[in-house]
Amino acid sequence: MAKIWKSDALLFLFLLLILTLVFIPIAEMIIISLKTRAQFNYDPVLPTLPLHFSNWVVILPMLLRPVLNSTFLAGTSIVGTLLIASLSAYAFANLELPGKEVLYFLVISMLMVPGLLSLVPRFVIVARLGLVGTYWSCILPYIAGRQVFAIFVLRSFFAGVSKQIAEAARVDGADDFRIYWSIVLPLSKPILATLAVMQLLGIWNDFIWPLVTMGANDKLRTLTVQLYYLNTQYSQNWGLIMSGYVVASIPLLVVFAFASRTFIRGLSSGAVKM
C-alpha cells in the first residue's frame, strides 16, 4: 500500500511539474500585458503595481475585425471540409467502388507531403484564378488541404459503425445518402466535433498563407497577421503586444470550454490516435 501511495505521489508531482512548465509562459504573458513600457523596463518578469488593464482596452478595437475575419474563415472552412470529407469517407468505407482501395491509398499518401512544399504551387493557382486579396484565397485552399486527414479519420470511424443499422435502413427503403445523413452523421458527432476543434486550431493559428494572400488588405487580415503588424508598429511596447496575444487566445479558450467534453469523447472513441 505504501509503495502504491509513493508511486501515485511521484506521478502527481511529475504532472504538477509539467503543468507548471506549461502555464509559466501563459502567466508571464498575462503579467506583461498589464505593464506599461516603464514597468516592463523596470521589471519584465514579476508583477508591478498598478496593473494596467487599459492595454486590453486599447488593443481590442484593433483586433475586432481580424477576430471576425478569422472566425468567418474558420467557420466556412470547417463546414466545407467536414461536409466534403464525410461524404468521401462514407464512400470509401461503405460503397463498393472499383479501385477504391488504390484511390484511398493515393489520397492518404498525401499525408506524407509537408504543407510548405505546396505553398508556391497553391499561390500560383490562387493567383491565376484571381482570388488573391479575397476570402476565397484562404477558404478554398483550407478546405482542399485539410481533406486528407479528415477523410483518414472519418473513414476509420464510419467503418466501425454497425452494418446492421444500415441494412435495417435499406430494408425500410433508405438509400445511401439517407443512411449517411440520418444515421451515420448523427452517430459521428463526437469525432466531427474533435475534427472541428483541430481544424479550428490550425486555421486560427495559421500565419504564412493569410499573410501572402490577404496581408496587403487591412480589412481582410486575420488575427495572426494583424498581430504581426502590431508587433512591427509597437515593437517596444511589450505590454500592448502581449495584451493582443491575451485577447487573441480568449476565443479559443471559450470554444474549448464548451466543446471539451465532446472533444474528449471523440479522442477516446478510438478514431484519433494522438
Side-chain angles (χ1 to χ4, degrees), residues 89 93-94 154-163:
N94 296 295
L154 289 174
R155 194 247 192 184
S156 302
F157 189 89
F158 290 169
V161 176
S162 175
K163 304 296 183 183

Side-chain angles (χ1 to χ4, degrees), residues 34-85:
L34 300 175
K35 293 176 179 286
T36 62
R37 185 182 303 180
Q39 288 175 328
F40 178 82
N41 292 332
Y42 174 74
D43 189 344
V45 177
L46 298 177
T48 52
L49 297 177
L51 302 178
H52 291 271
F53 292 94
S54 58
N55 288 337
W56 298 3
V57 177
V58 172
I59 205 69
L60 188 58
M62 303 180 191
L63 298 181
L64 182 58
R65 187 177 182 91
V67 167
L68 295 177
N69 288 337
S70 293
T71 303
F72 173 73
L73 290 178
T76 52
S77 301
I78 289 170
V79 171
T81 299
L82 294 184
L83 179 61
I84 298 174

Side-chain angles (χ1 to χ4, degrees), residues 70 116 119 138 142 146 201-215 221-232 245:
S70 293
L116 285 176
L119 182 63
C138 281
Y142 281 155
R146 285 165 167 77
L201 289 174
I203 296 172
W204 193 270
N205 295 323
D206 191 19
F207 171 67
I208 296 297
W209 186 250
L211 178 65
V212 299
T213 57
M214 301 191 307
R221 286 177 186 167
T222 60
L223 186 56
T224 53
V225 175
Q226 181 68 0
L227 289 174
Y228 165 75
Y229 280 100
L230 290 177
N231 282 345
T232 60
Y245 293 156

Side-chain angles (χ1 to χ4, degrees), residues 20 55 57 61 68 79-80 85 99 102 111 123 152 168 171 193 221 231 274:
T20 302
N55 288 337
V57 177
L68 295 177
V79 171
V102 175
L111 286 173
F123 182 80
F152 171 69
V171 171
R221 286 177 186 167
N231 282 345
M274 299 289 288

Side-chain angles (χ1 to χ4, degrees), residues 45-260:
V45 177
L46 298 177
T48 52
L49 297 177
L51 302 178
H52 291 271
F53 292 94
S54 58
N55 288 337
W56 298 3
V57 177
V58 172
I59 205 69
L60 188 58
M62 303 180 191
L63 298 181
L64 182 58
R65 187 177 182 91
V67 167
L68 295 177
N69 288 337
S70 293
T71 303
F72 173 73
L73 290 178
T76 52
S77 301
I78 289 170
V79 171
T81 299
L82 294 184
L83 179 61
I84 298 174
S86 61
L87 285 168
S88 303
Y90 181 83
F92 280 126
N94 296 295
L95 301 184
E96 296 298 330
L97 302 173
K100 180 180 69 173
E101 296 301 326
V102 175
L103 181 59
Y104 177 71
F105 176 78
L106 292 175
V107 171
I108 297 305
S109 65
M110 297 303 295
L111 286 173
M112 302 296 106
V113 180
L116 285 176
L117 293 182
S118 62
L119 182 63
V120 174
R122 275 185 292 153
F123 182 80
V124 171
I125 293 173
V126 169
R128 290 185 176 180
L129 291 175
L131 301 178
V132 174
T134 67
Y135 288 119
W136 292 109
S137 64
C138 281
I139 293 174
L140 294 179
Y142 281 155
I143 293 176
R146 285 165 167 77
Q147 287 294 311
V148 178
F149 180 73
I151 290 173
F152 171 69
V153 173
L154 289 174
R155 194 247 192 184
S156 302
F157 189 89
F158 290 169
V161 176
S162 175
K163 304 296 183 183
Q164 296 178 350
I165 300 176
E167 292 300 327
R170 286 192 176 90
V171 171
D172 291 337
D175 56 10
D176 283 306
F177 183 79
R178 183 70 175 180
I179 295 171
Y180 155 81
W181 187 260
S182 300
I183 297 176
V184 175
L185 280 189
L187 292 174
S188 306
K189 286 181 180 178
I191 195 62
L192 291 173
T194 300
L195 285 172
V197 172
M198 297 174 70
Q199 300 278 347
L200 175 63
L201 289 174
I203 296 172
W204 193 270
N205 295 323
D206 191 19
F207 171 67
I208 296 297
W209 186 250
L211 178 65
V212 299
T213 57
M214 301 191 307
N217 190 337
D218 57 352
K219 294 183 179 180
L220 300 181
R221 286 177 186 167
T222 60
L223 186 56
T224 53
V225 175
Q226 181 68 0
L227 289 174
Y228 165 75
Y229 280 100
L230 290 177
N231 282 345
T232 60
Q233 185 177 356
Y234 302 99
S235 58
Q236 300 300 320
N237 194 339
W238 286 105
L240 200 62
I241 293 173
M242 289 300 165
S243 65
Y245 293 156
V246 172
V247 172
S249 63
I250 291 176
L252 290 181
L253 292 175
V254 172
V255 169
F256 191 77
F258 284 98
S260 59

